[in-house]
Amino acid sequence: MPGDKYEKYGRPIPPADPNQEYMTVQETAHVLSVSVSWLRRFLKDHPKMHSRLGRRIVTDRADRAAIYGAKRLGGTAHRGSKRRPVRRSGPVRTTPLKSAA
């Protein structure tokens, strides 16, 4: 069950006006159709694509256009976590092991 902070900060929310000059991370995520966590990771890797008002992270129209362009190129849409190889048990031995006598 999600907590209060997730409900407030972790979900994309629709902005009052989709064409407004400045938007929060949650509003930007909604407009760009990405998750808030992806957008925060992206902005952490690209610090020049956002501004801060105190502790709040905001984006302007030019920032959103640049983020959309980078997302569209597909360079950083997914982190590409590599799956661990599945451990398979080795071949079943039918002959007993030789003892070291």
Side-chain angles (χ1 to χ4, degrees):
M1 186 162 206
D4 293 336
K5 296 236 179 193
Y6 174 77
E7 293 293 332
K8 188 172 182 182
Y9 301 112
R11 286 190 172 177
I13 58 172
D17 177 19
N19 295 320
Q20 63 190 6
E21 180 67 27
Y22 295 101
M23 289 188 190
T24 64
V25 172
Q26 293 81 15
E27 293 170 339
T28 303
H30 183 274
V31 170
L32 296 176
S33 300
V34 297
S35 69
V36 174
S37 59
W38 179 88
L39 185 59
R40 287 186 186 278
R41 278 195 311 267
F42 182 84
L43 293 176
K44 185 178 178 184
D45 293 342
H46 302 85
K48 293 187 178 186
M49 289 194 180
H50 69 277
S51 304
R52 287 191 178 264
L53 279 170
R55 292 186 59 172
R56 178 176 285 184
I57 299 172
V58 294
T59 59
D60 62 6
R61 287 186 188 128
D63 295 337
R64 288 192 299 273
I67 294 167
Y68 177 75
K71 181 187 128 187
R72 201 174 117 230
L73 291 176
T76 58
H78 299 283
R79 287 194 291 178
S81 61
K82 296 190 176 187
R83 295 180 62 184
R84 291 183 182 178
V86 177
R87 275 195 169 182
R88 304 205 187 273
S89 59
V92 178
R93 293 182 182 258
T94 56
T95 59
L97 295 174
K98 294 180 182 178
S99 62

